[in-house]
Amino acid sequence: MNIKLNISGVAPLLPQHVPLAQVFSQLRNKAKSANLIFAEPQTGVGYLQWVLPGDGWTSYTKADDISRQAVAEEYNKRKAVLQSAMDGRTANALFTLPSNDYIFYRPNPEGYDIGLVAWGYRFPNQSPGGELGSVMQKQKLQKVSIGFLLDGMRLPATSFHIDTPQSGYLRTTGQDGLFHSDHPLEIGSLHTLYTLDGKAYPFTIVEGQEEYLIDLTPPKPEPVPEPEPEPEPVPEPEPEPEPVPEPEPEPEPEPEPKPEPEPEPQPEPEKPKKKRNWWWLLLLLLPLLLLIRCQKDITVTCAEPDSGAPIDSLPVTIDYQAHFLWKDMRIFATDSINLTQKTDSAGQTVFRDLPCSVFSYIFYCLSQAAFTAKSGCYAAAGEEHNFHYTRKVHLQMMPRREDLHIRVIDKETRDPLPGATLIYRYKELGEEHTDSVQTDASGIATIPGMRYCATADLLARSHGYADTLRTDAPCQELVAANDSTSLPLRPIKQRFTFFVKNKETREPIPAAKAIVTLTHNNRQSQRTVLTSTDGKGIAAYDSAFVLATIAIHASKIHFRDGDLEGGPFTVEQFIRQDDDTRTVWLVPEPYTCEFVIVDTITGKPLEGVRNRIKITDPSGNTETVEEISNRNGIIPVKAKEGSRIEIISEKDPAYKKHSQVIPKFKDKEKIRMTPNLVSLQFRTINGTNGKILSGCALNINASITGKHAPSNSGDGVFTVDGLQRDELLSITASKPQFGSNSTKVNNAPVNTLMTAPQSRRDIPLKPDLPPCQGGTVTPRRMGQALDHKQTYNMGQHCGDFIFHGDAYGQADHFIVYDGPSADPSRQIFPKAGQNNFLQDKFSLRLHFTDWTVTVVVKTYNNNSEWNYMVDCPITTCPH
């Protein structure tokens, strides 16, 4: 349903800089919790429009009296709930309407939907609306019950309208044939009932009369009187004939007088019957009737107003006065009945066998029963209904709603985090909702109008912090902001590096001292780190909060102190800078010279050499300092001209201690150090059984001293000489029928290999042979070569196998060797003292240990035939 207004016809009451859409977004949830509908505003060309959901809406000013009174009461209740959650000035503006024509209502099974359109506007030349007065409440009112009779019986389930035909709220009588109005009507007011067939029945509210029954019995037709019989027509007398003259008659004798007719006997009047008066009998029975007791059931249903969802396990209490003419030896007895029961899964509870009496029905017919329901999850609901004529009661339970307060804090410092985002997800009426709010200056995020007895998933996030998720958080625990409602966010920390370098030569400065200061939220932390002694001049800070601001102050002997330039940088910004930006440049002091530390064998500069420098100036004053060479082997020395300089250099254990006296100051003079060379023993082994493997080809290279001997492992044990302790060593070993190995010793530090066990220096080679070749018959035919030799791969390094065949009656010479060659020392058949001539069929179980077996057969004439077979192993040896 859409309501349009001309823009020029209304004046806005809200500030012009605040968009209506933003107001509606903030108002929607609060209005929903108060069960009021604020229509969504839309702006068109020259007009404003408000959209109410669905159809069936009626303007308040067009409602009948009962609906108007009910809507006014509900509207004022809901308005008060919403106003309590809002700023007073804002609420007054939002609840101002051009007129009450813009308040709409729509009946629903639980009462009414109430919606407002054109809110926040008024007509400039007309009093605004939005305030529904209570004129009717100031007058004398009383509740009424309305019903219909047919042949003296009340009609249940009969629908009708009041005052307005075919519109408004359709009322229906209950099972007792009565519609009980929930809202009173003004005494003396005139109303009209309209049945669904359009017939009208006026009635007036009379003081003291609560029931108004409309008789729909059609009138009986009046009896039609029988027509009286018409009188028979009287024949007209015939005309007498003219007299004929006759002779004068003789005088006749006088006629005898006729006797007079006797009078008809009159009926005697009926005697009146004697009336019997029964009223005295009723008077005698009335006291007895008043003594009759009765019982009744009342069903109470509790449900939520929006969804109609039933509420189970809800305590419901009935409280009323039961009156009796006589009970328990008491006359005019009154009992206070107070019962509490819980609703079932359908949201219902039935108060059964409630005591009452005929006396109560007559003399206390207007007595009320109070129905109340209380729960921590719902606002308390209470209604009063006529006890004697109420069978069903519906209590609408408004869910208890509270504003939730969650504090978002730093997990380490416990400081609040303003401007953090809190995303919350919850279920409302079976539908999942997700929204978000921002924390205020105190780090508190407020979620408005949440169900008190619900749960919510909370996700807090803030730049520079890891997200924190809390699932199924009970809302009742989040009403007040305290430690238990805090969501701590872990600050994200990262490692960062920086450099300290000579500003003139751009060379790195090893062992420079740097003081790193990190600042966040007016909190400072300091740590001292040293630049590396590997010659790169790099320093590392392992764990720093990404939002902290960096300041670095560096110092080193022979240099002026320096600070990090540029910025200010946060840690996350600093990490993204290039190397020069992440460098603290130090200016060398005057008269500083440099010396170079080199290897005596390779001539390469040595980094990380510790130098103790003793300087004796011409006046005899002595100063001792320490310097560590950088990656270019350079150390700075500050001395006056003519000074004697003694330098003791150490890099233990890789190099021998070196002492050198420089009588005259010379720039870039080299200091040569002799390395401590070491020898390491290695072995090549069979990777399957761990046995030493001889004759392997070797390729040995070191990172400093280069290529090394030997090139073959010989008997499987070999030594590499002339290695420096701080270099890296790589060895590749290979052998036919074995896979090569270049990974066991690959860029391995020599100083680590020196202290490692022998197993760390063993280089395993695994056999690389095809699968077993046994299982094939090898025959000899006449005319072939007399000598035969064949090697068979057994597929494993050791085991037993079956050697069988047939010499067909002629003796032939069979020999089997362990391995790929016919080495007599490796012969496994025949054994010493055995005959190797086989003449007939044979089957031998033999043992091998060298992956392969070799069969040799010798025949002494061309006519000899034989065959044999080498089976694959039937056992294996442990590795």
Side-chain angles (χ1 to χ4, degrees):
M1 179 176 180
N2 299 343
I3 306 297
K4 290 186 177 181
L5 285 176
N6 192 299
I7 292 178
S8 60
V10 290
L13 301 178
L14 295 170
Q16 293 291 332
H17 66 277
V18 179
L20 270 181
Q22 178 180 340
V23 176
F24 176 74
S25 176
Q26 298 178 355
L27 179 64
R28 176 173 48 192
N29 287 339
K30 292 183 179 180
K32 187 176 181 181
S33 65
N35 202 15
L36 266 176
I37 299 175
F38 274 74
E40 182 177 359
Q42 299 176 359
T43 304
V45 180
Y47 67 87
L48 301 168
Q49 177 175 281
W50 287 265
V51 182
L52 279 171
D55 298 318
W57 295 93
T58 302
S59 173
Y60 169 77
T61 56
K62 296 180 182 179
D64 57 60
D65 287 344
I66 292 180
S67 296
R68 184 176 300 178
Q69 178 65 17
V71 170
E73 290 183 4
E74 286 299 318
Y75 171 74
N76 288 323
K77 288 180 184 177
R78 302 176 190 181
K79 176 180 176 182
V81 172
L82 184 54
Q83 280 181 320
S84 66
M86 299 172 58
D87 174 73
R89 181 178 300 177
T90 303
N92 290 338
L94 294 177
F95 280 103
T96 299
L97 313 176
S99 71
N100 289 343
D101 291 329
Y102 296 95
I103 301 177
F104 287 82
Y105 75 97
R106 177 174 64 183
N108 63 41
E110 303 298 331
Y112 298 94
D113 295 329
I114 300 177
L116 306 182
V117 301
W119 45 270
Y121 284 85
R122 63 168 294 176
F123 291 137
N125 57 352
Q126 182 178 327
S127 297
E131 294 292 334
L132 301 188
S134 55
V135 177
M136 296 183 67
Q137 294 181 353
K138 298 178 182 178
Q139 300 174 1
K140 197 168 185 180
L141 307 173
Q142 75 176 26
K143 289 189 176 182
V144 298
S145 299
I146 300 171
F148 297 90
L149 296 176
L150 182 63
D151 293 333
M153 300 293 291
R154 288 188 293 199
L155 297 178
T158 302
S159 299
F160 62 95
H161 294 275
I162 296 181
D163 293 337
T164 305
Q166 308 303 327
S167 64
Y169 183 27
L170 185 67
R171 276 76 175 187
T172 303
T173 58
Q175 294 298 322
D176 57 355
L178 291 175
F179 165 73
H180 304 282
S181 173
D182 291 335
H183 300 279
L185 298 179
E186 179 185 355
I187 295 175
S189 59
L190 177 62
H191 300 275
T192 303
L193 302 184
Y194 293 91
T195 56
L196 297 185
D197 58 2
K199 294 181 180 180
Y201 300 91
F203 69 98
T204 302
I205 305 302
V206 179
E207 184 173 4
Q209 179 181 345
E210 290 194 357
E211 287 191 5
Y212 295 85
L213 301 176
I214 307 300
D215 195 347
L216 302 181
T217 305
K220 295 181 180 180
E222 298 181 0
V224 180
E226 295 183 3
E228 297 181 358
E230 296 181 1
E232 296 182 0
V234 181
E236 296 181 1
E238 296 181 1
E240 295 182 359
E242 294 181 0
V244 177
E246 292 180 355
E248 196 171 309
E250 295 179 357
E252 295 181 359
E254 293 180 2
E256 297 179 359
K258 294 182 180 179
E260 295 181 0
E262 295 181 359
E264 295 182 0
Q266 298 291 329
E268 295 182 2
E270 294 183 1
K271 295 181 180 181
K273 295 181 180 180
K274 189 175 182 179
K275 294 183 180 179
R276 298 180 180 179
N277 294 318
W278 299 93
W279 59 270
W280 60 272
L281 181 59
L282 294 175
L283 291 177
L284 291 176
L285 293 176
L286 181 58
L288 297 178
L289 292 173
L290 296 179
L291 293 174
I292 296 175
R293 299 182 190 177
C294 56
Q295 294 176 330
K296 66 175 296 184
D297 297 344
I298 297 180
T299 301
V300 180
T301 302
C302 297
E304 295 189 13
D306 291 338
S307 63
I311 306 171
D312 62 350
S313 301
L314 182 68
V316 180
T317 301
I318 182 174
D319 192 348
Y320 74 97
Q321 302 289 323
H323 303 278
F324 305 92
L325 180 61
W326 178 265
K327 182 184 179 186
D328 299 334
M329 305 301 293
R330 295 178 296 158
I331 188 169
F332 298 115
T334 300
D335 291 343
S336 294
I337 307 299
N338 185 282
L339 300 173
T340 300
Q341 299 176 181
K342 289 187 177 181
T343 56
D344 58 17
S345 59
Q348 291 185 344
T349 184
V350 181
F351 292 97
R352 300 187 183 278
D353 302 329
L354 298 173
C356 55
S357 66
V358 174
F359 172 75
S360 175
Y361 268 92
I362 295 176
F363 294 99
Y364 294 91
C365 60
L366 300 181
S367 64
Q368 300 289 304
F371 299 88
T372 57
K374 295 181 179 179
S375 169
C377 299
Y378 294 86
E383 293 184 6
E384 287 190 357
H385 292 267
N386 186 294
F387 171 74
H388 297 91
Y389 302 103
T390 297
R391 297 291 180 186
K392 295 183 179 181
V393 175
H394 294 272
L395 295 180
Q396 294 186 350
M397 304 298 297
M398 293 294 296
R400 178 181 173 184
R401 296 184 178 274
E402 299 284 352
D403 290 348
L404 308 185
H405 304 283
I406 297 92
R407 186 187 299 274
V408 182
I409 61 174
D410 185 304
K411 186 176 182 179
E412 294 185 356
T413 65
R414 312 300 291 181
D415 291 336
L417 298 179
T421 299
L422 179 70
I423 301 172
Y424 59 96
R425 180 175 59 202
Y426 63 96
K427 284 189 177 180
E428 179 84 36
L429 302 178
E431 182 179 353
E432 188 173 277
H433 301 271
T434 300
D435 209 338
S436 64
V437 291
Q438 301 289 321
T439 57
D440 59 16
S442 301
I444 296 176
T446 300
I447 303 175
M450 285 290 289
R451 281 179 176 254
Y452 184 72
C453 292
T455 60
D457 295 339
L458 306 175
L459 175 66
R461 60 178 40 160
S462 181
H463 178 63
Y465 292 83
D467 293 355
T468 293
L469 173 65
R470 182 179 177 187
T471 58
D472 294 329
C475 293
Q476 57 264 39
E477 297 179 3
L478 305 174
V479 174
N482 50 43
D483 288 342
S484 63
T485 66
S486 296
L487 283 181
L489 301 189
R490 176 180 58 83
I492 297 174
K493 296 184 178 181
Q494 290 186 351
R495 179 180 185 270
F496 68 86
T497 59
F498 61 93
F499 302 88
V500 178
K501 295 182 180 181
N502 186 320
K503 190 170 185 179
E504 293 181 358
T505 65
R506 304 186 70 83
E507 290 288 338
I509 302 175
K513 183 173 74 171
I515 299 176
V516 179
T517 303
L518 299 178
T519 305
H520 181 67
N521 284 346
N522 296 323
R523 293 176 181 263
Q524 284 190 347
S525 63
Q526 282 189 344
R527 185 187 301 176
T528 299
V529 294
L530 298 177
T531 58
S532 63
T533 60
D534 59 359
K536 297 179 181 178
I538 189 171
Y541 198 102
D542 291 334
S543 180
F545 182 33
V546 294
L547 299 185
T549 303
I550 294 178
I552 303 175
H553 179 82
S555 60
K556 185 69 167 69
I557 189 171
H558 305 308
F559 291 88
R560 296 175 184 172
D561 291 359
D563 294 290
L564 180 69
E565 300 175 357
F569 300 108
T570 63
V571 172
E572 63 179 352
Q573 293 170 340
F574 188 71
I575 292 172
R576 295 194 294 265
Q577 305 302 316
D578 57 28
D579 288 355
D580 283 352
T581 305
R582 292 186 294 114
T583 297
V584 180
W585 301 98
L586 300 185
V587 178
E589 293 181 348
Y591 306 106
T592 299
C593 296
E594 294 179 341
F595 295 85
V596 182
I597 316 297
V598 298
D599 185 294
T600 57
I601 297 177
T602 64
K604 293 181 179 179
L606 298 178
E607 64 183 11
V609 177
R610 185 176 300 275
N611 300 272
R612 188 168 68 252
I613 305 170
K614 183 178 179 181
I615 303 171
T616 305
D617 66 15
S619 301
N621 298 320
T622 301
E623 178 186 10
T624 302
V625 296
E626 283 193 3
E627 288 288 349
I628 298 175
S629 61
N630 64 15
R631 64 181 175 183
N632 296 318
I634 295 175
I635 59 172
V637 177
K638 179 183 178 183
K640 295 181 180 179
E641 293 185 8
S643 298
R644 179 179 183 273
I645 299 174
E646 181 180 359
I647 301 176
I648 300 175
S649 304
E650 293 179 293
K651 190 175 184 180
D652 188 60
Y655 287 83
K656 296 178 181 180
K657 185 177 180 180
H658 177 81
S659 179
Q660 182 172 346
V661 176
I662 303 173
K664 189 177 180 180
F665 215 33
K666 293 183 180 179
D667 193 16
K668 292 287 184 179
E669 184 169 339
K670 293 182 179 179
I671 299 175
R672 294 174 170 80
M673 296 187 69
T674 303
N676 290 319
L677 301 179
V678 298
S679 298
L680 294 177
Q681 179 178 284
F682 297 88
R683 299 188 306 181
T684 50
I685 63 173
N686 189 316
T688 304
N689 55 23
K691 293 182 178 180
I692 294 178
L693 193 64
S694 61
C696 298
L698 301 175
N699 184 13
I700 304 173
N701 285 282
S703 60
I704 296 176
T705 54
K707 191 172 182 63
H708 283 260
S711 59
N712 191 282
S713 66
D715 60 359
V717 179
F718 63 95
T719 301
V720 180
D721 299 319
L723 295 173
Q724 293 193 15
R725 292 171 180 264
D726 55 354
E727 67 178 334
L728 304 177
L729 181 64
S730 297
I731 300 176
T732 300
S734 61
K735 184 176 182 178
Q737 298 183 342
F738 286 84
S740 64
N741 188 325
S742 60
T743 59
K744 180 62 183 291
V745 181
N746 183 19
N747 286 327
V750 171
N751 55 5
T752 301
L753 294 174
M754 289 172 58
T755 58
Q758 182 61 51
S759 60
R760 175 68 179 84
R761 300 194 300 275
D762 285 346
I763 304 172
L765 300 180
K766 289 188 177 181
D768 186 16
L769 295 175
C772 175
Q773 298 173 340
T776 303
V777 175
T778 303
R780 180 193 184 272
R781 303 300 182 195
M782 289 187 298
Q784 293 180 342
L786 298 180
D787 294 337
H788 165 82
K789 180 181 178 182
Q790 179 70 42
T791 299
Y792 295 89
N793 172 42
M794 302 305 286
Q796 61 188 48
H797 81 283
C798 179
D800 292 349
F801 69 99
I802 302 298
F803 177 65
H804 54 101
D806 191 350
Y808 299 110
Q810 293 187 19
D812 296 303
H813 188 59
F814 288 84
I815 306 174
V816 182
Y817 298 93
D818 185 4
S821 64
D823 184 355
S825 64
R826 305 284 293 174
Q827 184 173 311
I828 57 177
F829 176 81
K831 293 185 178 179
Q834 289 184 348
N835 184 3
N836 63 347
F837 288 96
L838 299 177
Q839 184 170 351
D840 298 311
K841 290 184 178 180
F842 59 89
S843 179
L844 305 172
R845 178 170 177 156
L846 304 177
H847 183 76
F848 71 97
T849 61
D850 198 18
W851 296 93
T852 59
V853 295
T854 302
V855 178
V856 175
V857 184
K858 293 184 178 181
T859 302
Y860 297 100
N861 59 73
N862 288 331
N863 295 326
S864 180
E865 294 184 61
W866 47 260
N867 66 53
Y868 71 86
M869 179 184 296
V870 175
D871 288 344
C872 286
I874 58 175
T875 65
T876 185
C877 298
H879 292 294

